[in-house]
Amino acid sequence: MPCAIHDVTRPGVFEDDKWDKGLFISYRTATTQSQIQDPSVAIYFLEKDLHPGARMTFHFIRTITGATLLPRQAADSIPFSSAKLPEILSRLSITPNSIEAEAMKKTLQECEKPAMEGETKYCATSVEAMVDFSTSSLGTRDVRALSTTVDREGTPKQVYSISKVQKQPVSKAVVCHGEKYPYAVFYCHMTSAEAYKVSMVGKDGTKVEGVATCHTDTAGYNPEHVAFKLLHVKPGTVPICHFLLQSDIVWTPNK
């Protein structure tokens, strides 16, 4: 079971201080100063730099909210739209104008935006919905789910040495990012991308089995997105790669 799903099946792991931590930053979004300073965004790199023997500096942070994973029937019984936000807050006992309410508002707005050109997107509120979207997008029910695992908690920002890189035999993947919400919500999107499994060891001995994706068609991405700012490249020039956070899942055909 991918750790991103395992985390949201454990009751009682919700933490209030996770609400203001950065999760997925849409490629349509311009960078803010706070995002540049957020250690969880230091996961971007160029494909040419991904090889055994490479050394990269990362900060693997467990950003999953710890929200409860709801069965599809329960999730589908709760409204999921900006227009119904007051009703949602009331039903879930969330205080209006609170940090939690503002985070929920942003998640709903992001989910309701149209997909970028060449992208298929969907916000899944249950594992069943996520699996259905992934299999229909990939055109097969024979799929597998991968996620990044880190063998210890609370690791610092540090240099990691890459020991093994395995390119997956796929040209398309569905990537699902954990979102800020009182129960588990995943922002899923399918784009042209290469997927990799990467083994690495940190300076303090932390072992990471990372999953990375490299987006090969970035021409329609916002040039002000944090990835282009950090890597000093322009949309449409080179593939943009990033490691999946521990709250994310990538679905690929099981070849």
Side-chain angles (χ1 to χ4, degrees):
M1 178 186 294
C3 67
I5 295 178
H6 176 266
D7 285 346
V8 293
T9 60
R10 295 180 300 161
V13 297
F14 184 84
E15 298 177 28
D16 290 339
D17 66 351
K18 297 294 186 183
W19 282 99
D20 57 359
K21 298 293 189 297
L23 292 180
F24 172 62
I25 303 172
S26 170
Y27 284 106
R28 76 173 80 242
T29 305
T31 301
T32 65
Q33 189 58 37
S34 63
Q35 288 169 343
I36 286 286
Q37 296 171 345
D38 184 347
S40 68
V41 306
I43 54 173
Y44 295 99
F45 59 92
L46 298 177
E47 191 171 27
K48 67 179 181 63
D49 297 325
L50 185 62
H51 56 83
R55 293 162 63 87
M56 299 184 186
T57 300
F58 295 119
H59 194 178
F60 288 100
I61 301 173
R62 185 178 293 279
T63 56
I64 189 72
T65 61
T68 301
L69 184 68
L70 297 182
R72 170 178 265 172
Q73 184 176 1
D76 289 349
S77 71
I78 303 173
F80 190 77
S81 72
S82 296
K84 296 293 185 83
L85 182 58
E87 178 185 344
I88 299 170
L89 296 177
S90 177
R91 289 185 62 171
L92 300 179
S93 301
I94 303 292
T95 303
N97 301 316
S98 62
I99 293 175
E100 294 91 337
E102 288 303 308
M104 293 168 63
K105 179 180 178 181
K106 290 180 181 178
T107 291
L108 290 168
Q109 290 174 339
E110 188 61 41
C111 287
E112 291 167 350
K113 289 179 181 177
M116 295 187 298
E117 185 177 352
E119 176 191 53
T120 304
K121 57 167 283 197
Y122 174 71
C123 282
T125 57
S126 67
V127 169
E128 297 97 324
M130 180 165 47
V131 170
D132 284 351
F133 172 76
S134 299
T135 55
S136 63
S137 297
L138 295 171
T140 177
R141 296 200 66 83
D142 186 14
V143 299
R144 60 174 174 167
L146 304 170
S147 64
T148 293
T149 60
V150 181
D151 75 348
R152 66 180 73 177
E153 298 285 343
T155 58
K157 182 178 181 179
Q158 61 181 320
V159 174
Y160 284 86
S161 299
I162 296 175
S163 59
K164 186 177 182 180
V165 176
Q166 294 176 284
K167 186 174 183 178
Q168 304 302 292
V170 298
S171 59
K172 289 186 179 292
V174 173
V175 183
C176 296
H177 306 274
E179 287 291 325
K180 301 173 184 175
Y181 217 71
Y183 55 89
V185 171
F186 289 88
Y187 178 105
C188 299
H189 60 125
M190 187 182 79
T191 58
S192 298
E194 305 285 356
Y196 294 87
K197 293 175 67 176
V198 184
S199 301
M200 65 186 90
V201 179
K203 186 177 180 180
D204 68 351
T206 298
K207 295 180 180 179
V208 176
E209 292 299 321
V211 177
T213 57
C214 293
H215 297 273
T216 54
D217 183 5
T218 64
Y221 291 6
N222 190 326
E224 298 299 314
H225 185 272
V226 62
F228 300 110
K229 294 296 185 181
L230 291 174
L231 299 176
H232 306 292
V233 295
K234 296 181 179 180
T237 56
V238 294
I240 294 296
C241 305
H242 64 89
F243 278 102
L244 270 64
L245 300 175
Q246 290 163 269
S247 56
D248 301 341
I249 305 168
V250 61
W251 298 83
T252 67
N254 189 22
K255 294 183 179 179

